[in-house]
Structure formats: structure tokens, C-alpha cells
Amino acid sequence: MGDDLEKILVTEEQIKDRHRDLAAAIDADYAGRDLLLVGVLKGAVMVMADLARELHHPCEMDWMAVSSYGAGTTSSGVVRILKDLDTDIKDRNVLIVEDVIDSGLTLSWLVGNLRSRGPASVEICTMVRKPVAFNVDLDVRYVGFDLPNEFIVGYGLDYAEKYRNLPFIGTLAPHVYQA
Ligand code: IMP
Ligand code: MG
């Protein structure tokens, strides 16, 4: 995969360190309350696995799959549920775990959808936030990294389903898009 990458934006060590900080904050905020982590497939698999293991607070995990992007690098604006939760979230404290917030369209739709199910609370934790996300009215409680507006891959993030298994976050060389 070496030739396909342009630069590394966040290293494996930086991700690990940031998880410890986020987990400590989540532990403190949810002390004495139940916690259900809801990972958004497929991108949030890595964040969920690593963040959950840094938590001391007992929690449950569930998953949703939604589609908002095609194989390309721009949002279609259309959100569809591909896999719904197995859990009834009524009166539960839900923490959505995301890989990246770009336009924020997917998450604002998801938050609205989950709120309509009567949870005690819904908060958001994202590993990466891009600047565009500031334009959307979205209250993001936990942010790993604020990164510039570039298309990124690795640590769960894909381009046409590839590069998810890179342990770091980076950008792709232009020839990959042009191919
Ligand atoms: P949003 O609706 O624009 O906030 O983005 C929704 C989804 O698009 C994210 O959950 C990702 O799956 C995907 N996405 C957005 N930006 C990137 C990126 O830079 N690289 C890879 N996937 C991305
Ligand atoms: Mg995602």
C-alpha cells in the first residue's frame, strides 16, 4: 500500500494516546450511569475496538450500518439503514461511535433517528472531525482529532473499501483517485 499513500496525518501512537484521554473523559461523564456504545459500521470498527478497551466503565456495544457514500469521495446526501440496532434503546444512554464527521449529514440524520426511540441520552464520539462539520448543527461531545478538509484513509476509513486496515490515518496519492 506504500505507493498509494501521500502522507501520514495521525500516527498509531497518537491514536492510542488520544483514546486514553477520550476514555478517561467518558469514564468520568458516565460514572454511575449505564452506557451503550453504538458503532457505525464499517468505519468505526477500529475506534470502537480500541476505545472500548481503554474504558473502565462497564458498557454494552451494538452496531448500525448506514449508507451515505457510494464508492467515491463525495457525500450523496441520502442516508439508508442497512443494519439496525439489535438493542431497544428506550431509557438507555447511547454514545454513538464514529470514524469521521465530514459533512455531518449522516450523523445528524442518525441522531434524529435514535432520539425518536426514546433514549435517556444520545451523545457522539468521533475519531476525526473535518472543518465542514462546523456548519451543521451537531453537538459532538468527544472528538479525537480535528483534521483539514482532505479525503483520508486508514484506521477504519476506506477508499472504495480499501485501506481500512492501515493502523494510522493518512491521505492517498492523487494517482489512486485518477486510476
Ligand atoms: P458525512 O455524512 O459527510 O459526515 O460522512 C459520512 C461518512 O462518509 C463517514 O462516516 C465515512 O464513512 C465517510 N467519509 C467521510 N469522509 C471520509 C474520508 O475522508 N475518508 C473516508 N471516508 C469518509
Ligand atoms: Mg462512518
Side-chain angles (χ1 to χ4, degrees):
M1 285 185 276
D3 287 352
D4 292 355
L5 295 170
E6 189 178 56
K7 58 182 184 290
I8 294 177
L9 296 180
V10 189
T11 66
E12 217 176 329
E13 279 67 36
Q14 286 172 315
I15 294 172
K16 204 165 171 38
D17 287 349
R18 195 72 190 105
H19 275 142
R20 287 210 194 88
D21 301 341
L22 291 175
I26 294 167
D27 276 337
D29 292 349
Y30 287 88
R33 290 193 292 157
D34 102 280
L35 174 60
L36 174 68
L37 301 177
V38 169
V40 185
L41 292 169
K42 307 167 195 168
V45 165
M46 310 293 179
V47 196
M48 183 78 141
D50 288 344
L51 182 68
R53 279 180 289 186
E54 292 292 340
L55 286 175
H56 298 290
H57 193 67
C59 64
E60 291 175 33
M61 293 180 213
D62 203 348
W63 300 91
M64 269 184 94
V66 295
S67 86
S68 56
Y69 276 28
T73 61
T74 51
S75 182
S76 70
V78 180
V79 181
R80 226 159 30 101
I81 295 183
L82 304 176
K83 186 227 168 282
D84 207 340
L85 296 173
D86 298 327
T87 317
D88 179 1
I89 61 170
K90 182 145 181 26
D91 300 327
R92 305 292 307 271
N93 293 299
V94 174
L95 179 59
I96 301 173
V97 179
E98 252 292 27
D99 48 0
V100 59
I101 305 179
D102 184 7
S103 70
L105 288 174
T106 311
L107 264 189
S108 40
W109 182 89
L110 191 59
V111 167
N113 181 285
L114 295 183
R115 286 232 162 93
S116 73
R117 307 182 193 194
S121 66
V122 178
E123 299 291 348
I124 298 166
C125 174
T126 184
M127 190 44 29
V128 174
R129 178 170 61 182
K130 298 206 211 163
V132 189
F134 291 113
N135 298 334
V136 178
D137 182 24
L138 203 60
D139 190 11
V140 187
R141 186 88 174 250
Y142 310 98
V143 179
F145 303 94
D146 276 305
L147 295 183
N149 199 11
E150 288 176 283
F151 193 80
I152 51 176
V153 293
Y155 199 68
L157 292 158
D158 74 302
Y159 173 65
E161 294 301 324
K162 288 203 220 88
Y163 311 105
R164 290 192 199 275
N165 62 318
L166 293 171
F168 49 80
I169 296 169
T171 56
L172 285 174
H175 75 81
V176 180
Y177 302 105
Q178 285 148 16

